[in-house]
Amino acid sequence: DTGVSQNPRHKITKRGQNVTFRCDPISEHNRLYWYRQTLGQGPEFLTYFQNEAQLEKSRLLSDRFSAERPKGSFSTLEIQRTEQGDSAMYLCASSPQGSWSAEAFFGQGTRLTVV
Amino acid sequence: AQSVTQPDIHITVSEGASLELRCNYSYGATPYLFWYVQSPGQGLQLLLKYFSGDTLVQGIKGFEAEFKRSQSSFNLRKPSVHWSDAAEYFCAVGGTGGGNKLTFGTGTQLKVEL
């Protein structure tokens, strides 16, 4: 396991379709985060899991967005009825449990384009 | 609410010149501060972090940053820039007061002239 893995790397979808992204964190990390990054902006926090529990969600995470981490390992982020404004890079990060001194390791992201 | 300001959107330096990227933060408690670098098509890589103690922190790739509480700043520096340092740099703030999340600045795009 060499790092956080995200699939797919790129996704082009038509407006109104549903999409699902997957994140595989570093195996011993029990914290998992999703961020969204639009062009010219820094990443924005979406949601956070500790093991299988979703502990925090941003107001950015509308009802069309849902994230799961069913067994405390990999996570999925689903966007229903995609809109052009959903076009962005979706980044996943993981970190080990502990104090804030733990580094968050980021994946390479999934770039979503809604046409 | 926590926030980060990176006032410089683009910076161009000559290879071998020194570099300073500015970062100002707003945070209601003791901040935890980070600098990340992002190359095209890549994820974010942590350069360095500050939690407490010595206000001058050393990171990877020859970078350092200085925490100045009185100025709410955490500027990133490098004495001699290499062409491979060209990338986008993000400052971020987090901590127990803001929940388990990072708030990022809008980034500074660094161009290195040979």
Short mmCIF file of all heavy atoms in Angstrom, two decimals, chain B residues 22-81:
data_model
loop_
_atom_site.label_atom_id
_atom_site.label_comp_id
_atom_site.label_asym_id
_atom_site.label_seq_id
_atom_site.Cartn_x
_atom_site.Cartn_y
_atom_site.Cartn_z
N ARG B 22 3.33 34.13 1.14
CA ARG B 22 2.64 34.66 2.29
C ARG B 22 1.35 33.91 2.62
O ARG B 22 0.64 33.44 1.72
CB ARG B 22 2.32 36.15 2.07
CG ARG B 22 3.57 37.03 1.95
CD ARG B 22 3.16 38.47 1.82
NE ARG B 22 2.55 38.76 0.53
CZ ARG B 22 1.87 39.87 0.26
NH1 ARG B 22 1.68 40.78 1.20
NH2 ARG B 22 1.37 40.06 -0.94
N CYS B 23 1.07 33.83 3.92
CA CYS B 23 -0.14 33.18 4.39
C CYS B 23 -0.59 33.88 5.67
O CYS B 23 0.20 34.01 6.61
CB CYS B 23 0.10 31.70 4.66
SG CYS B 23 -1.28 30.86 5.50
N ASN B 24 -1.84 34.32 5.68
CA ASN B 24 -2.44 34.87 6.89
C ASN B 24 -3.66 34.05 7.25
O ASN B 24 -4.41 33.64 6.36
CB ASN B 24 -2.82 36.34 6.69
CG ASN B 24 -1.60 37.23 6.54
OD1 ASN B 24 -1.18 37.53 5.42
ND2 ASN B 24 -1.03 37.62 7.65
N TYR B 25 -3.87 33.83 8.52
CA TYR B 25 -4.97 32.98 8.94
C TYR B 25 -5.84 33.70 9.96
O TYR B 25 -5.43 34.66 10.60
CB TYR B 25 -4.44 31.67 9.54
CG TYR B 25 -3.75 31.89 10.86
CD1 TYR B 25 -4.45 31.85 12.06
CD2 TYR B 25 -2.38 32.18 10.90
CE1 TYR B 25 -3.82 32.09 13.27
CE2 TYR B 25 -1.74 32.43 12.10
CZ TYR B 25 -2.45 32.39 13.27
OH TYR B 25 -1.83 32.64 14.45
N SER B 26 -7.06 33.19 10.07
CA SER B 26 -7.97 33.64 11.11
C SER B 26 -8.51 32.39 11.79
O SER B 26 -9.04 31.50 11.12
CB SER B 26 -9.12 34.45 10.52
OG SER B 26 -10.09 34.76 11.50
N TYR B 27 -8.33 32.34 13.10
CA TYR B 27 -8.74 31.13 13.81
C TYR B 27 -9.00 31.49 15.26
O TYR B 27 -8.25 32.24 15.86
CB TYR B 27 -7.63 30.08 13.71
CG TYR B 27 -8.08 28.69 14.08
CD1 TYR B 27 -8.91 27.96 13.24
CD2 TYR B 27 -7.69 28.11 15.28
CE1 TYR B 27 -9.34 26.70 13.58
CE2 TYR B 27 -8.11 26.85 15.63
CZ TYR B 27 -8.94 26.13 14.77
OH TYR B 27 -9.35 24.89 15.10
N GLY B 28 -10.05 30.94 15.82
CA GLY B 28 -10.48 31.33 17.15
C GLY B 28 -9.76 30.65 18.29
O GLY B 28 -9.92 31.02 19.45
N ALA B 29 -8.97 29.66 17.98
CA ALA B 29 -8.26 28.93 19.03
C ALA B 29 -6.81 28.80 18.59
O ALA B 29 -6.36 29.44 17.66
CB ALA B 29 -8.92 27.58 19.25
N THR B 30 -6.10 27.94 19.27
CA THR B 30 -4.72 27.70 18.86
C THR B 30 -4.71 27.02 17.50
O THR B 30 -5.29 25.94 17.35
CB THR B 30 -4.00 26.80 19.88
OG1 THR B 30 -4.05 27.46 21.15
CG2 THR B 30 -2.57 26.58 19.45
N PRO B 31 -4.09 27.64 16.51
CA PRO B 31 -4.16 27.06 15.17
C PRO B 31 -3.12 25.97 14.94
O PRO B 31 -2.03 26.01 15.51
CB PRO B 31 -3.86 28.26 14.27
CG PRO B 31 -2.90 29.07 15.08
CD PRO B 31 -3.32 28.90 16.51
N TYR B 32 -3.50 25.03 14.13
CA TYR B 32 -2.54 24.09 13.57
C TYR B 32 -2.39 24.51 12.12
O TYR B 32 -3.38 24.64 11.40
CB TYR B 32 -3.03 22.65 13.68
CG TYR B 32 -3.19 22.16 15.10
CD1 TYR B 32 -4.11 21.15 15.40
CD2 TYR B 32 -2.44 22.68 16.14
CE1 TYR B 32 -4.27 20.69 16.69
CE2 TYR B 32 -2.59 22.23 17.43
CZ TYR B 32 -3.51 21.23 17.71
OH TYR B 32 -3.66 20.77 18.98
N LEU B 33 -1.17 24.71 11.66
CA LEU B 33 -0.92 25.31 10.35
C LEU B 33 -0.13 24.37 9.47
O LEU B 33 0.77 23.67 9.95
CB LEU B 33 -0.19 26.64 10.53
CG LEU B 33 -1.02 27.71 11.25
CD1 LEU B 33 -0.13 28.77 11.84
CD2 LEU B 33 -2.02 28.33 10.28
N PHE B 34 -0.44 24.39 8.20
CA PHE B 34 0.15 23.47 7.24
C PHE B 34 0.46 24.21 5.94
O PHE B 34 -0.23 25.16 5.55
CB PHE B 34 -0.83 22.34 6.91
CG PHE B 34 -1.38 21.60 8.10
CD1 PHE B 34 -2.42 22.13 8.84
CD2 PHE B 34 -0.86 20.38 8.46
CE1 PHE B 34 -2.94 21.46 9.95
CE2 PHE B 34 -1.36 19.69 9.56
CZ PHE B 34 -2.39 20.23 10.30
N TRP B 35 1.48 23.72 5.25
CA TRP B 35 1.72 24.09 3.86
C TRP B 35 1.74 22.80 3.04
O TRP B 35 2.44 21.84 3.39
CB TRP B 35 3.05 24.81 3.69
CG TRP B 35 2.99 26.29 3.92
CD1 TRP B 35 3.33 26.96 5.04
CD2 TRP B 35 2.55 27.27 2.97
NE1 TRP B 35 3.13 28.31 4.87
CE2 TRP B 35 2.67 28.53 3.61
CE3 TRP B 35 2.09 27.23 1.66
CZ2 TRP B 35 2.33 29.73 2.97
CZ3 TRP B 35 1.76 28.41 1.03
CH2 TRP B 35 1.87 29.64 1.68
N TYR B 36 0.94 22.82 1.94
CA TYR B 36 0.91 21.72 1.00
C TYR B 36 1.35 22.22 -0.37
O TYR B 36 1.16 23.39 -0.71
CB TYR B 36 -0.51 21.15 0.87
CG TYR B 36 -0.96 20.27 2.01
CD1 TYR B 36 -1.54 20.82 3.15
CD2 TYR B 36 -0.85 18.89 1.92
CE1 TYR B 36 -1.97 20.00 4.18
CE2 TYR B 36 -1.28 18.07 2.95
CZ TYR B 36 -1.84 18.63 4.07
OH TYR B 36 -2.27 17.81 5.09
N VAL B 37 1.88 21.29 -1.18
CA VAL B 37 2.23 21.60 -2.55
C VAL B 37 1.47 20.66 -3.47
O VAL B 37 1.25 19.48 -3.14
CB VAL B 37 3.76 21.49 -2.79
CG1 VAL B 37 4.26 20.08 -2.51
CG2 VAL B 37 4.12 21.93 -4.19
N GLN B 38 1.03 21.20 -4.60
CA GLN B 38 0.28 20.41 -5.58
C GLN B 38 0.86 20.64 -6.97
O GLN B 38 0.84 21.76 -7.47
CB GLN B 38 -1.21 20.81 -5.55
CG GLN B 38 -2.10 19.94 -6.41
CD GLN B 38 -3.57 20.32 -6.27
OE1 GLN B 38 -3.91 21.50 -6.19
NE2 GLN B 38 -4.46 19.33 -6.25
N SER B 39 1.36 19.57 -7.56
CA SER B 39 1.83 19.64 -8.94
C SER B 39 0.69 19.26 -9.86
O SER B 39 -0.26 18.59 -9.44
CB SER B 39 3.02 18.69 -9.12
OG SER B 39 4.09 19.10 -8.30
N PRO B 40 0.74 19.66 -11.13
CA PRO B 40 -0.37 19.38 -12.05
C PRO B 40 -0.76 17.91 -12.08
O PRO B 40 0.09 17.03 -12.24
CB PRO B 40 0.20 19.84 -13.40
CG PRO B 40 1.19 20.88 -13.06
CD PRO B 40 1.82 20.43 -11.75
N GLY B 41 -2.03 17.65 -11.91
CA GLY B 41 -2.53 16.28 -11.96
C GLY B 41 -2.20 15.44 -10.75
O GLY B 41 -2.50 14.24 -10.74
N GLN B 42 -1.63 16.06 -9.76
CA GLN B 42 -1.23 15.31 -8.56
C GLN B 42 -2.05 15.72 -7.35
O GLN B 42 -2.69 16.78 -7.33
CB GLN B 42 0.26 15.55 -8.26
CG GLN B 42 1.18 15.15 -9.38
CD GLN B 42 1.10 13.68 -9.70
OE1 GLN B 42 1.17 12.84 -8.79
NE2 GLN B 42 0.94 13.34 -10.96
N GLY B 43 -2.00 14.88 -6.34
CA GLY B 43 -2.63 15.23 -5.08
C GLY B 43 -1.78 16.21 -4.30
O GLY B 43 -0.74 16.67 -4.76
N LEU B 44 -2.22 16.51 -3.11
CA LEU B 44 -1.51 17.45 -2.26
C LEU B 44 -0.45 16.72 -1.43
O LEU B 44 -0.72 15.67 -0.87
CB LEU B 44 -2.49 18.12 -1.31
CG LEU B 44 -3.53 19.01 -1.97
CD1 LEU B 44 -4.73 19.21 -1.07
CD2 LEU B 44 -2.92 20.35 -2.31
N GLN B 45 0.72 17.31 -1.38
CA GLN B 45 1.80 16.74 -0.57
C GLN B 45 2.13 17.71 0.55
O GLN B 45 2.32 18.91 0.31
CB GLN B 45 3.04 16.49 -1.43
CG GLN B 45 4.20 15.87 -0.65
CD GLN B 45 5.45 15.69 -1.49
OE1 GLN B 45 5.65 16.34 -2.51
NE2 GLN B 45 6.31 14.78 -1.06
N LEU B 46 2.22 17.20 1.76
CA LEU B 46 2.52 18.05 2.90
C LEU B 46 3.99 18.45 2.90
O LEU B 46 4.88 17.60 2.82
CB LEU B 46 2.21 17.31 4.20
CG LEU B 46 2.46 18.10 5.49
CD1 LEU B 46 1.46 19.24 5.62
CD2 LEU B 46 2.36 17.19 6.71
N LEU B 47 4.24 19.75 2.97
CA LEU B 47 5.61 20.26 3.05
C LEU B 47 6.06 20.38 4.51
O LEU B 47 7.18 20.02 4.84
CB LEU B 47 5.70 21.64 2.40
CG LEU B 47 5.62 21.71 0.88
CD1 LEU B 47 5.62 23.16 0.43
CD2 LEU B 47 6.77 20.95 0.23
N LEU B 48 5.19 20.95 5.34
CA LEU B 48 5.53 21.13 6.75
C LEU B 48 4.27 21.47 7.53
O LEU B 48 3.24 21.78 6.95
CB LEU B 48 6.60 22.21 6.93
CG LEU B 48 6.43 23.53 6.19
CD1 LEU B 48 5.42 24.43 6.86
CD2 LEU B 48 7.76 24.25 6.04
N LYS B 49 4.41 21.42 8.86
CA LYS B 49 3.26 21.69 9.73
C LYS B 49 3.75 22.32 11.01
O LYS B 49 4.90 22.09 11.44
CB LYS B 49 2.50 20.39 10.03
CG LYS B 49 3.36 19.33 10.70
CD LYS B 49 2.68 17.97 10.69
CE LYS B 49 3.61 16.92 11.31
NZ LYS B 49 3.10 15.54 11.11
N TYR B 50 2.87 23.10 11.63
CA TYR B 50 3.17 23.71 12.91
C TYR B 50 2.02 23.43 13.87
O TYR B 50 0.85 23.66 13.55
CB TYR B 50 3.35 25.23 12.78
CG TYR B 50 3.44 25.91 14.12
CD1 TYR B 50 4.62 25.89 14.85
CD2 TYR B 50 2.32 26.51 14.69
CE1 TYR B 50 4.70 26.48 16.10
CE2 TYR B 50 2.39 27.10 15.94
CZ TYR B 50 3.57 27.07 16.64
OH TYR B 50 3.64 27.64 17.88
N PHE B 51 2.39 22.94 15.07
CA PHE B 51 1.39 22.71 16.11
C PHE B 51 1.72 23.51 17.36
O PHE B 51 0.84 24.10 17.99
CB PHE B 51 1.29 21.23 16.45
CG PHE B 51 0.80 20.42 15.30
CD1 PHE B 51 1.65 19.65 14.55
CD2 PHE B 51 -0.54 20.43 14.96
CE1 PHE B 51 1.19 18.92 13.47
CE2 PHE B 51 -1.01 19.70 13.89
CZ PHE B 51 -0.14 18.93 13.14
N SER B 52 2.97 23.50 17.76
CA SER B 52 3.38 24.21 18.96
C SER B 52 4.89 24.22 18.99
O SER B 52 5.56 23.63 18.14
CB SER B 52 2.82 23.55 20.22
OG SER B 52 3.36 22.24 20.36
N GLY B 53 5.44 24.91 19.98
CA GLY B 53 6.87 24.88 20.15
C GLY B 53 7.59 25.90 19.29
O GLY B 53 7.09 27.02 19.07
N ASP B 54 8.73 25.52 18.78
CA ASP B 54 9.57 26.41 17.99
C ASP B 54 8.75 26.98 16.83
O ASP B 54 8.13 26.23 16.07
CB ASP B 54 10.78 25.64 17.46
CG ASP B 54 11.83 26.56 16.88
OD1 ASP B 54 11.54 27.76 16.68
OD2 ASP B 54 12.95 26.09 16.61
N THR B 55 8.77 28.29 16.70
CA THR B 55 7.93 28.93 15.68
C THR B 55 8.53 28.83 14.28
O THR B 55 7.85 29.17 13.32
CB THR B 55 7.71 30.40 16.03
OG1 THR B 55 8.99 31.04 16.19
CG2 THR B 55 6.92 30.54 17.33
N LEU B 56 9.75 28.38 14.17
CA LEU B 56 10.36 28.17 12.86
C LEU B 56 10.39 26.67 12.63
O LEU B 56 11.05 25.93 13.35
CB LEU B 56 11.78 28.75 12.83
CG LEU B 56 12.49 28.67 11.47
CD1 LEU B 56 11.75 29.52 10.42
CD2 LEU B 56 13.94 29.15 11.62
N VAL B 57 9.67 26.24 11.62
CA VAL B 57 9.58 24.80 11.35
C VAL B 57 10.24 24.47 10.03
O VAL B 57 10.15 25.24 9.07
CB VAL B 57 8.11 24.31 11.35
CG1 VAL B 57 7.53 24.42 12.74
CG2 VAL B 57 7.27 25.07 10.36
N GLN B 58 10.89 23.35 10.02
CA GLN B 58 11.56 22.88 8.81
C GLN B 58 10.71 21.81 8.15
O GLN B 58 10.04 21.01 8.82
CB GLN B 58 12.93 22.29 9.17
CG GLN B 58 13.85 23.26 9.89
CD GLN B 58 14.21 24.47 9.04
OE1 GLN B 58 14.46 24.34 7.84
NE2 GLN B 58 14.24 25.65 9.66
N GLY B 59 10.74 21.81 6.82
CA GLY B 59 9.97 20.82 6.10
C GLY B 59 10.81 20.08 5.09
O GLY B 59 12.05 20.13 5.13
N ILE B 60 10.12 19.44 4.18
CA ILE B 60 10.82 18.70 3.14
C ILE B 60 11.24 19.62 2.01
O ILE B 60 10.76 20.75 1.92
CB ILE B 60 9.94 17.55 2.60
CG1 ILE B 60 8.67 18.11 1.95
CG2 ILE B 60 9.59 16.56 3.71
CD1 ILE B 60 7.86 17.06 1.19
N LYS B 61 12.14 19.14 1.18
CA LYS B 61 12.57 19.86 -0.02
C LYS B 61 13.21 21.21 0.29
O LYS B 61 13.23 22.10 -0.56
CB LYS B 61 11.41 20.07 -1.00
CG LYS B 61 10.71 18.79 -1.41
CD LYS B 61 9.64 19.05 -2.46
CE LYS B 61 8.97 17.76 -2.87
NZ LYS B 61 8.00 17.95 -3.97
N GLY B 62 13.73 21.37 1.49
CA GLY B 62 14.43 22.60 1.84
C GLY B 62 13.54 23.77 2.23
O GLY B 62 14.02 24.90 2.37
N PHE B 63 12.25 23.53 2.41
CA PHE B 63 11.32 24.59 2.79
C PHE B 63 11.29 24.77 4.31
O PHE B 63 11.51 23.84 5.07
CB PHE B 63 9.91 24.28 2.30
CG PHE B 63 9.72 24.48 0.83
CD1 PHE B 63 9.90 23.42 -0.05
CD2 PHE B 63 9.37 25.72 0.32
CE1 PHE B 63 9.74 23.61 -1.42
CE2 PHE B 63 9.20 25.92 -1.04
CZ PHE B 63 9.39 24.85 -1.91
N GLU B 64 10.99 25.99 4.73
CA GLU B 64 10.76 26.30 6.12
C GLU B 64 9.63 27.32 6.22
O GLU B 64 9.30 27.99 5.23
CB GLU B 64 12.02 26.86 6.80
CG GLU B 64 12.47 28.21 6.28
CD GLU B 64 13.69 28.74 7.01
OE1 GLU B 64 14.49 27.94 7.52
OE2 GLU B 64 13.83 29.98 7.04
N ALA B 65 9.04 27.43 7.39
CA ALA B 65 7.98 28.41 7.60
C ALA B 65 8.09 28.93 9.02
O ALA B 65 8.52 28.23 9.93
CB ALA B 65 6.61 27.79 7.36
N GLU B 66 7.66 30.16 9.19
CA GLU B 66 7.73 30.80 10.50
C GLU B 66 6.34 31.22 10.95
O GLU B 66 5.63 31.93 10.23
CB GLU B 66 8.65 32.01 10.48
CG GLU B 66 8.85 32.63 11.87
CD GLU B 66 9.92 33.70 11.89
OE1 GLU B 66 10.34 34.14 10.80
OE2 GLU B 66 10.33 34.10 12.99
N PHE B 67 5.95 30.78 12.13
CA PHE B 67 4.67 31.14 12.72
C PHE B 67 4.85 32.43 13.52
O PHE B 67 5.69 32.49 14.41
CB PHE B 67 4.19 30.02 13.64
CG PHE B 67 2.99 30.37 14.47
CD1 PHE B 67 1.79 30.73 13.87
CD2 PHE B 67 3.04 30.33 15.86
CE1 PHE B 67 0.68 31.04 14.63
CE2 PHE B 67 1.93 30.64 16.63
CZ PHE B 67 0.75 30.99 16.01
N LYS B 68 4.04 33.43 13.18
CA LYS B 68 4.06 34.69 13.92
C LYS B 68 2.64 34.97 14.41
O LYS B 68 1.78 35.45 13.66
CB LYS B 68 4.55 35.84 13.04
CG LYS B 68 6.02 35.70 12.64
CD LYS B 68 6.50 36.93 11.87
CE LYS B 68 7.98 36.82 11.54
NZ LYS B 68 8.48 37.99 10.79
N ARG B 69 2.43 34.69 15.68
CA ARG B 69 1.09 34.83 16.23
C ARG B 69 0.60 36.28 16.19
O ARG B 69 -0.56 36.53 15.87
CB ARG B 69 1.06 34.34 17.69
CG ARG B 69 -0.33 34.35 18.32
CD ARG B 69 -0.26 33.96 19.78
NE ARG B 69 0.22 32.60 19.96
CZ ARG B 69 -0.56 31.52 19.90
NH1 ARG B 69 -1.85 31.65 19.67
NH2 ARG B 69 -0.04 30.31 20.10
N SER B 70 1.50 37.22 16.45
CA SER B 70 1.11 38.63 16.50
C SER B 70 0.63 39.13 15.13
O SER B 70 -0.17 40.06 15.04
CB SER B 70 2.29 39.48 16.98
OG SER B 70 3.38 39.36 16.08
N GLN B 71 1.13 38.50 14.08
CA GLN B 71 0.74 38.90 12.72
C GLN B 71 -0.23 37.92 12.08
O GLN B 71 -0.61 38.11 10.93
CB GLN B 71 1.99 39.03 11.85
CG GLN B 71 2.97 40.10 12.34
CD GLN B 71 4.23 40.16 11.49
OE1 GLN B 71 4.27 39.68 10.37
NE2 GLN B 71 5.28 40.78 12.03
N SER B 72 -0.60 36.88 12.82
CA SER B 72 -1.46 35.82 12.27
C SER B 72 -0.93 35.34 10.92
O SER B 72 -1.68 35.23 9.94
CB SER B 72 -2.90 36.33 12.12
OG SER B 72 -3.45 36.66 13.37
N SER B 73 0.37 35.10 10.88
CA SER B 73 0.98 34.71 9.61
C SER B 73 1.77 33.42 9.75
O SER B 73 2.20 33.03 10.85
CB SER B 73 1.90 35.82 9.09
OG SER B 73 3.05 35.93 9.91
N PHE B 74 1.93 32.77 8.64
CA PHE B 74 2.69 31.51 8.56
C PHE B 74 3.29 31.46 7.16
O PHE B 74 2.86 30.73 6.29
CB PHE B 74 1.76 30.32 8.83
CG PHE B 74 2.47 29.00 8.98
CD1 PHE B 74 3.46 28.81 9.94
CD2 PHE B 74 2.12 27.92 8.18
CE1 PHE B 74 4.10 27.59 10.09
CE2 PHE B 74 2.76 26.68 8.32
CZ PHE B 74 3.74 26.52 9.28
N ASN B 75 4.31 32.26 6.95
CA ASN B 75 4.91 32.39 5.62
C ASN B 75 5.89 31.27 5.32
O ASN B 75 6.66 30.86 6.19
CB ASN B 75 5.60 33.75 5.48
CG ASN B 75 4.61 34.90 5.53
OD1 ASN B 75 3.39 34.71 5.45
ND2 ASN B 75 5.14 36.11 5.68
N LEU B 76 5.87 30.84 4.09
CA LEU B 76 6.74 29.75 3.63
C LEU B 76 7.95 30.35 2.94
O LEU B 76 7.82 31.29 2.14
CB LEU B 76 5.96 28.87 2.64
CG LEU B 76 6.70 27.66 2.07
CD1 LEU B 76 6.88 26.59 3.15
CD2 LEU B 76 5.93 27.08 0.89
N ARG B 77 9.13 29.78 3.20
CA ARG B 77 10.35 30.32 2.62
C ARG B 77 11.24 29.19 2.11
O ARG B 77 11.18 28.05 2.59
CB ARG B 77 11.14 31.13 3.66
CG ARG B 77 10.37 32.31 4.22
CD ARG B 77 11.29 33.25 4.98
NE ARG B 77 11.87 32.64 6.16
CZ ARG B 77 11.59 33.00 7.40
NH1 ARG B 77 10.70 33.96 7.62
NH2 ARG B 77 12.19 32.43 8.42
N LYS B 78 12.05 29.58 1.13
CA LYS B 78 13.09 28.68 0.65
C LYS B 78 14.26 29.54 0.19
O LYS B 78 14.04 30.50 -0.57
CB LYS B 78 12.59 27.79 -0.49
CG LYS B 78 13.61 26.73 -0.90
CD LYS B 78 13.03 25.70 -1.86
CE LYS B 78 14.06 24.60 -2.13
NZ LYS B 78 13.54 23.53 -3.02
N PRO B 79 15.46 29.28 0.62
CA PRO B 79 16.59 30.16 0.31
C PRO B 79 17.00 30.14 -1.16
O PRO B 79 17.47 31.14 -1.69
CB PRO B 79 17.72 29.67 1.21
CG PRO B 79 17.28 28.37 1.76
CD PRO B 79 15.82 28.23 1.59
N SER B 80 16.82 29.00 -1.83
CA SER B 80 17.25 28.90 -3.23
C SER B 80 16.28 27.98 -3.96
O SER B 80 16.23 26.78 -3.70
CB SER B 80 18.69 28.35 -3.30
OG SER B 80 19.10 28.21 -4.64
N VAL B 81 15.55 28.56 -4.89
CA VAL B 81 14.49 27.81 -5.57
C VAL B 81 15.06 27.00 -6.74
O VAL B 81 15.95 27.46 -7.47
CB VAL B 81 13.42 28.80 -6.08
CG1 VAL B 81 12.43 28.10 -7.00
CG2 VAL B 81 12.69 29.41 -4.90
#
